[in-house]
Amino acid sequence: MTTAPEQKTLLSGVSFVSLVAPTEDLFYSTVEFYTDLGFKETFVYDRTHPTTKREVDHCLSSEKETWLYSQSESSNESNDISLKIRFVSDAVHHAHGIVRQDPQKPPERTANSKESYDWRGSSQSIVLCTAFLPKIAALLKSKNILCQFQPSEREACEIYTHDPIGTLVGFTAKANPFTRIRPTDGYLSMTKAEQMMEISRPTTAGGKRKRIGVMTSGGDAPGMNAAVRAVVRMSIAKGCEAYAIYEGYEGLVKGGSLIKRMRWEDVRGWLSEGGTLIGTARCKEFRERAGRLAGAKNLILNGIDALIICGGDGSLTGADIFRSEWPGLLDELVKKKELTQEQINPFQHLNIVGLVGSIDNDMSSTDATIGAYSSLTRICQAVDFIDATAYSHSRAFVVEVMGRHCGWLALMAGVSTGADFVFLPEKPPAAGWEDEMCDIIAKHRKLGKRKTIVIVAEGAIDRDLKPVSASYVKDILVDKLGLDTRITTLGHVQRGGTACAYDRMLATLQGVEAVEAVLESTPETPSPMIAINENKITRKPLMDAVKLTQSVAACIKNKDFEGAMELRDAEFEEYHRAYMATTKPEDLQVKAPVDKRMKIAIIHVGAPAGGMNAATRAAALYCLSRGHRPFAIHNGFPGLVRHDSVRELTWLMVEAWAIRGGSEIGTNRSLPSEDMGMVAWYFQKYKFDGLLIIGGFEAYHALTELHQARTSYPAFRIPMTCLPATISNNVPGTEFSIGSDTCLNALIDYCDAIKQSASASRRRVFVVECQGGRSGYVATMAGLSVGALAVYTPEEGINISMLQNDIGHLRESFANDKGMNRAGKLILRNEKASKTYTTEIIADMIREEANGRFESRTAIPGHVQQGGTPSPMDRVRAVRLAVRCIQFMEENHEKTSQQILEDAGTSAVIGIRGASVVFTPVHDLKEGETDWSSRRPRKAFWLDLRSIVDTLSGRMGEPQGS
């Protein structure tokens, strides 16, 4: 039958799809299956429920019905989807004379095996359009639902699975070809409100969405804005409403405009901002019950029953008191008739979660606090600048840093900068310290050092609790040593500036965990503090951590300095020992016996990385303090075999290397296997007793070759260690490599500048190419730290579906900007993410698909990512690991040649796993933990962070109303 051109079709689209479940369990499983995909439950009918009214469109045979709805992005109603899930028992079917067909079962064969047939030939199917095929695949895999990819899993353009009642359900990015009005970005299968596949919406007792408040209190710390951003976006992603309480507890007490609902876009660009954009202030009113009463009233009026507070121990203590008084405060508000019983009924419990924002790193039970490493960065930058003028004039500088009860900043600054002496509250110097300090500085000067740096914590004391002031130290240096001495008090400069990469990462991950803690807490759960321990984000009882922290001050007050040091983390004492060992030359008390003194070779292998020189310096100085002889092999193994480039290191030669980037002794990627015989000959010539290899994957590879060569070359039967140093962080046996933090800081500085340019031009996307080899660590962590819209890594690869989804997300993101600031977008691509989809091609594809609505550019920082001056984190880690390496050689020195040959543990990679320093035999790593073809570990701790990057960037979809 033909239809006249002017005649309209009688049909305008599909009304709904009806699916029938034969059992109640399958009914509920099917409803759950589709709600997980983003469908929203709109109506429920239960024939057995007395209050449920049967409508005319409810089937007589249905015992239960649930209507599900998915709204498309298009205004064309035919693109919306409605499902009716029915439960009809077998008894009802037989009563109506209906013979039920067995639901089609998924094939028993593996979905993507060569033997499996094409599921698309099955009957009773639904095919849904989606812009999120990778997310659909991830969801199905997470629930262990068997699925089939067409044409293959890597290049999937269609995905098929079966719902619990046997219906074949397909997913494709291809829209209905006959739809006249195209959806803006192809979002058809999920409702706009549920694009993040978070269908569960936490609610209060009153049925409203749960509201989570976030505030910053106490002294500001870099990274607080990153924490607020993470809390706001994660709260929205979890279906909650986020509120910012401005000006700390003062905003809580005053309420009104100081309590503001936060939308998704409100926190755009906050990662690169210093201080706290929602403010902090001291509040005397909150210390009184009347102030807390006002705070409780303001929370209830705004519907908030959960608070995430970023501050120090005082701020967190006040929050826990507030929680403990909450029931009484509510009763008092009702008695005073400021609120009604109906108003307070949904808010009987107040959730409190603490994030520690403190530049002093003075909270017990956590390895690091938000802002501490950023503050250390400011201090080291200042001391590095002072270092130049001190050298020029042969002066002494006394630098005062913050730390009233905690000497972490002072100690780490001393380790990072190679300071001559440090003063800490927890470790006061012994009586007569003035003479000890002068003796050490005099020896340094006698050895040829032209500058002197002394670092004093503001809370520094002697063993009689008498303050050690910067002015007093200056007078000692002037009077006893006759040094031209200046004082520099850094003050609040230490709090300023943007957060470093580590603080952005830490604050983001802790903010995400804080939201999870809120949603999982019960009235019986103690208020948690979000901490980081052994490189894992953890929860600790808030008040236990506060009490331990306050115990440190009590120990100092009672002159129990050993107790104060024990209450600090284990690293603190170790760093102090390492610092003293590298700053006291010719100390006879720590010399090794003459017959146990060693000749130790140090070599750099691979590309340069920040911290290589700091590690070499620490190893050499520790050797000298123990009576060993350190030798540098210049320019790697080629330098050794071609030029006999072995030079003995002296104290003065390496003393200034702590702050230098690159490699002072030169580095080379070549392996010893290129001429193993000559390498062995030179080792035998110099009679080396130990070898320290500093470098990346090539250094690790070199160690494996030397270990294997022990059977043929006795010269290699010595203790040998590899200290990982590479920006790629791809060495097996460690979670952190020296130089990776320096790289991340250089990269986020670059990206911040690029993003500023993109914002100024309003509608621009930069595709930034990151180094990292076949490891996506740098790209992922940088993406987390700069808020990249998408991150492409070698582990995940790039396919056309992924690019299509991301370009669609870009279009929507720019469409929603509406003239706001900070509108620039970044995409980070690892250099080895794909051979086909290069940085230029991705930028060209974005430009082509933008249709003039926005533009794209490429940015390739290249070797800028290796950084200049090493970051403080890389410096302190370099010192700790280098000293441990020399100690490892000392422990194995007495073993005979045959014992070392038989002991695989004498060739090891030193690494940080969690908070522990471990030595892993290179033989074990080679066999079980190394992906040799990709030059990276088989498992990496950071892979799980990719989903957080996608969620907070909005790549998985920005929720409705955000």
Side-chain angles (χ1 to χ4, degrees):
M1 184 176 101
T2 59
T3 303
E6 67 275 5
Q7 182 179 346
K8 295 183 178 180
T9 177
L10 298 177
L11 303 176
S12 60
V14 177
S15 176
F16 63 89
V17 177
S18 180
L19 304 175
V20 181
T23 68
E24 190 170 5
D25 287 343
L26 282 175
F27 169 78
Y28 286 117
S29 298
T30 305
V31 171
E32 181 183 3
F33 175 85
Y34 286 103
T35 54
D36 280 340
L37 293 175
F39 282 83
K40 184 175 182 180
E41 189 176 283
T42 60
F43 187 83
V44 174
Y45 165 69
D46 187 343
R47 192 172 61 184
T48 62
H49 200 283
T51 61
T52 303
K53 180 182 177 182
R54 191 180 72 83
E55 303 293 341
V56 293
D57 56 351
H58 294 154
C59 297
L60 289 172
S61 59
S62 295
E63 297 185 35
K64 299 178 188 292
E65 289 187 5
T66 293
W67 287 75
L68 303 174
Y69 175 66
S70 177
Q71 180 185 7
S72 79
E73 286 295 302
S74 171
S75 60
N76 185 0
E77 294 181 358
S78 65
N79 289 328
D80 297 349
I81 305 171
S82 293
L83 295 179
K84 179 166 70 171
I85 315 297
R86 301 170 55 209
F87 164 40
V88 182
S89 66
D90 286 329
V92 173
H93 269 269
H94 292 314
H96 287 79
I98 300 172
V99 179
R100 179 192 300 280
Q101 295 288 332
D102 289 335
Q104 180 182 334
K105 300 284 180 71
E108 296 180 358
R109 293 177 246 182
T110 305
N112 290 298
S113 67
K114 292 182 179 179
E115 295 81 10
S116 64
Y117 64 88
D118 191 335
W119 291 5
R120 292 175 290 185
S122 302
S123 60
Q124 191 178 341
S125 62
I126 304 171
V127 181
L128 305 174
C129 180
T130 174
F132 297 108
L133 278 177
K135 304 302 178 284
I136 292 289
L139 175 66
L140 296 176
K141 286 183 178 180
S142 69
K143 294 182 172 291
N144 295 318
I145 297 174
L146 192 65
C147 56
Q148 185 182 74
F149 300 87
Q150 294 291 347
S152 66
E153 181 173 359
R154 184 168 181 82
E155 299 292 337
C157 62
E158 295 178 352
I159 302 174
Y160 288 87
T161 187
H162 290 81
D163 69 14
I165 58 175
T167 308
L168 180 67
V169 182
F171 305 92
T172 178
K174 183 178 180 181
N176 183 343
F178 298 104
T179 300
R180 294 182 180 180
I181 303 176
R182 301 292 183 184
T184 305
D185 294 308
Y187 293 41
L188 282 175
S189 67
M190 303 173 215
T191 67
K192 187 175 180 181
E194 308 300 338
Q195 288 176 10
M196 303 184 71
M197 298 180 186
E198 296 287 352
I199 190 66
S200 58
R201 292 301 189 185
T203 60
T204 64
K208 295 182 179 179
R209 288 186 181 181
K210 191 172 187 67
R211 295 179 176 180
I212 300 175
V214 59
M215 60 184 287
T216 53
S217 181
D220 65 296
M224 281 184 165
N225 291 321
V228 173
R229 171 185 178 270
V231 169
V232 168
R233 291 200 167 180
M234 196 63 183
S235 297
I236 296 173
K238 286 292 183 179
C240 306
E241 294 179 4
Y243 283 77
I245 301 171
Y246 284 70
E247 310 304 336
Y249 284 111
E250 183 177 330
L252 187 62
V253 172
K254 292 183 178 179
S257 62
L258 295 178
I259 301 179
K260 175 188 174 184
R261 183 177 177 185
M262 302 295 284
R263 309 286 181 170
W264 188 272
E265 294 294 334
D266 290 341
V267 292
R268 174 178 289 182
W270 283 30
L271 279 168
S272 58
E273 298 289 339
T276 167
L277 293 174
I278 62 174
T280 181
R282 298 184 182 276
C283 183
K284 294 181 180 179
E285 293 89 343
F286 191 77
R287 298 178 184 176
E288 306 296 331
R289 185 174 176 83
R292 295 192 288 274
L293 197 67
K297 179 180 179 180
N298 287 325
L299 287 183
I300 292 175
L301 290 176
N302 285 279
I304 300 170
D305 64 351
L307 271 181
I308 296 174
I309 300 169
C310 184
D313 59 341
S315 301
L316 301 183
T317 301
D320 197 71
I321 293 173
F322 190 40
R323 176 189 175 177
S324 65
E325 292 181 349
W326 185 257
L329 294 173
L330 297 189
D331 292 341
E332 189 172 342
L333 287 169
V334 173
K335 288 178 182 178
K336 290 184 175 181
K337 297 184 178 180
E338 295 188 34
L339 293 175
T340 65
Q341 188 65 40
E342 289 73 18
Q343 284 178 295
I344 71 168
N345 281 340
F347 306 100
Q348 294 300 310
H349 171 60
L350 176 67
N351 290 333
I352 294 289
V353 178
L355 301 176
V356 190
S358 169
I359 67 168
D360 294 334
N361 199 20
D362 55 354
M363 180 66 78
S364 296
S365 303
T366 185
D367 298 338
T369 60
I370 296 171
Y373 275 99
S374 297
S375 180
L376 180 61
T377 300
R378 304 290 170 269
I379 293 170
C380 290
Q381 287 174 340
V383 175
D384 290 348
F385 296 154
I386 289 171
D387 189 272
T389 189
Y391 182 90
S392 300
H393 296 273
S394 190
R395 283 181 179 152
F397 275 84
V398 182
V399 182
E400 182 182 295
V401 302
M402 287 185 173
R404 206 174 310 157
H405 301 296
C406 180
W408 186 86
L409 283 174
L411 176 59
M412 296 304 172
V415 173
S416 301
T417 62
D420 298 83
F421 209 81
V422 297
F423 291 91
L424 319 174
E426 303 93 333
K427 193 80 172 179
W433 62 264
E434 294 90 344
D435 292 334
E436 180 190 17
M437 178 185 71
C438 290
D439 182 56
I440 290 175
I441 294 173
K443 286 180 179 178
H444 290 178
R445 290 278 177 166
K446 185 177 180 180
L447 289 168
K449 190 174 182 180
R450 284 177 53 84
K451 55 185 171 45
T452 298
I453 302 292
V454 177
I455 297 179
V456 182
E458 61 177 331
I461 52 175
D462 61 19
R463 291 192 170 267
D464 294 323
L465 305 184
K466 180 182 177 182
V468 176
S469 66
S471 59
Y472 181 65
V473 174
K474 173 195 171 184
D475 292 341
I476 297 297
L477 296 177
V478 172
D479 296 340
K480 291 196 172 186
L481 295 178
L483 296 177
D484 182 6
T485 308
R486 301 287 190 274
I487 294 176
T488 298
T489 302
L490 298 181
H492 285 75
V493 167
Q494 296 159 85
R495 293 190 184 274
T498 61
C500 67
Y502 181 82
D503 278 330
R504 296 189 193 192
M505 178 274 295
L506 178 65
T508 298
L509 297 182
Q510 289 190 339
V512 168
E513 182 66 17
V515 175
E516 298 283 4
V518 163
L519 299 180
E520 295 172 12
S521 66
T522 66
E524 295 74 30
T525 306
S527 296
M529 179 195 78
I530 310 302
I532 183 167
N533 299 104
E534 298 183 355
N535 196 36
K536 299 294 184 295
I537 302 298
T538 59
R539 303 176 195 174
K540 297 293 181 69
L542 174 60
M543 290 315 297
D544 289 354
V546 170
K547 288 176 182 176
L548 283 174
T549 301
Q550 294 173 344
S551 297
V552 176
C555 286
I556 294 174
K557 185 177 180 180
N558 296 326
K559 299 183 180 181
D560 181 11
F561 302 114
E562 290 184 4
M565 289 294 286
E566 290 176 358
L567 288 172
R568 296 291 180 214
D569 60 81
E571 293 181 17
F572 192 86
E573 175 66 30
E574 182 179 355
Y575 276 120
H576 186 266
R577 290 196 302 268
Y579 170 74
M580 295 307 295
T582 56
T583 196
K584 297 176 72 173
E586 305 300 327
D587 189 342
L588 296 179
Q589 295 178 356
V590 297
K591 294 287 186 184
V594 176
D595 60 334
K596 294 183 179 181
R597 296 180 184 178
M598 308 168 66
K599 294 174 70 176
I600 296 176
I602 303 172
I603 187 171
H604 294 177
V605 179
M612 276 184 161
N613 293 320
T616 305
R617 171 187 179 274
L621 293 184
Y622 184 80
C623 284
L624 293 170
S625 71
R626 294 282 292 160
H628 307 309
R629 296 176 63 189
F631 290 83
I633 299 176
H634 289 256
N635 303 319
F637 288 106
L640 175 67
V641 300
R642 298 171 188 169
H643 309 292
D644 188 12
S645 59
V646 178
R647 303 290 183 272
E648 187 168 0
L649 297 173
T650 65
W651 188 91
L652 185 62
M653 187 184 299
V654 301
E655 190 281 327
W657 287 5
I659 66 175
R660 294 185 186 176
S663 170
E664 289 293 314
I665 67 173
T667 183
N668 195 292
R669 294 181 182 270
S670 297
L671 298 173
S673 56
E674 293 186 10
D675 198 342
M676 191 69 76
M678 285 301 296
V679 173
W681 189 86
Y682 278 110
F683 270 52
Q684 187 173 349
K685 172 185 175 181
Y686 288 99
K687 298 181 179 180
F688 291 136
D689 300 307
L691 173 66
L692 172 58
I693 307 176
I694 302 174
F697 197 88
E698 291 87 357
Y700 162 68
H701 194 176
L703 182 59
T704 64
E705 291 186 347
L706 294 172
H707 175 76
Q708 288 180 313
R710 278 177 168 177
T711 55
S712 303
Y713 300 99
F716 299 143
R717 297 173 190 175
I718 57 177
M720 297 184 290
T721 62
C722 170
L723 196 165
T726 168
I727 67 172
S728 303
N729 196 26
N730 64 337
V731 178
T734 186
E735 294 177 356
F736 293 102
S737 299
I738 303 303
S740 60
D741 186 67
T742 299
C743 170
L744 286 173
N745 280 289
L747 186 54
I748 66 169
D749 288 344
Y750 182 90
C751 288
D752 283 349
I754 291 296
K755 202 166 187 178
Q756 187 179 63
S757 172
S759 300
S761 57
R762 306 300 297 156
R763 313 188 71 78
R764 180 173 290 174
V765 182
F766 273 95
V767 183
V768 182
E769 184 173 295
C770 308
Q771 289 186 343
R774 293 183 178 89
S775 168
Y777 173 82
V778 170
T780 300
M781 302 308 289
L784 194 70
S785 301
V786 300
L789 182 137
V791 174
Y792 300 136
T793 63
E795 291 83 357
E796 188 177 18
I798 307 176
N799 57 54
I800 190 65
S801 178
M802 184 185 299
L803 292 172
Q804 182 181 5
N805 294 341
D806 291 335
I807 291 172
H809 176 42
L810 273 171
R811 285 201 292 260
E812 172 159 353
S813 183
F814 277 114
N816 292 336
D817 276 346
K818 297 179 181 178
M820 286 180 287
N821 293 327
R822 300 182 292 274
K825 309 289 191 301
L826 293 183
I827 291 177
L828 302 186
R829 176 192 173 274
N830 170 277
E831 59 186 348
K832 302 286 187 180
S834 172
K835 292 182 179 179
T836 303
Y837 299 109
T838 64
T839 304
E840 291 77 11
I841 287 177
I842 293 174
D844 290 342
M845 292 175 68
I846 293 172
R847 188 180 303 110
E848 182 70 20
E849 294 294 325
N851 294 324
R853 285 176 289 177
F854 51 91
E855 58 182 357
S856 62
R857 294 285 189 276
T858 60
I860 304 178
H863 286 76
V864 168
Q865 295 164 85
Q866 290 183 353
T869 302
S871 72
M873 177 174 281
D874 278 334
R875 298 190 213 178
V876 297
R877 283 179 177 165
V879 171
R880 183 188 187 194
L881 298 181
V883 170
R884 282 288 193 97
C885 285
I886 305 303
Q887 292 172 344
F888 173 85
M889 296 177 196
E890 290 177 325
E891 293 167 2
N892 290 280
H893 177 52
E894 293 185 2
K895 294 181 178 179
T896 65
S897 176
Q898 185 62 30
Q899 287 175 326
I900 287 182
L901 178 63
E902 296 172 354
D903 186 357
T906 55
S907 298
V909 175
I910 188 173
I912 298 176
R913 288 187 168 178
S916 304
V917 174
V918 296
F919 286 91
T920 308
V922 71
H923 174 76
D924 296 347
L925 293 175
K926 177 186 176 184
E927 299 299 326
E929 297 189 31
T930 306
D931 181 350
W932 286 98
S933 61
S934 297
R935 294 167 48 87
R936 66 189 182 210
R938 294 187 186 276
K939 296 181 180 179
F941 77 95
W942 53 267
L943 289 175
D944 294 336
L945 303 180
R946 290 180 298 180
S947 62
I948 296 178
V949 177
D950 291 343
T951 298
L952 298 185
S953 69
R955 189 186 187 189
M956 295 177 68
E958 297 175 12
Q960 188 177 32
S962 62

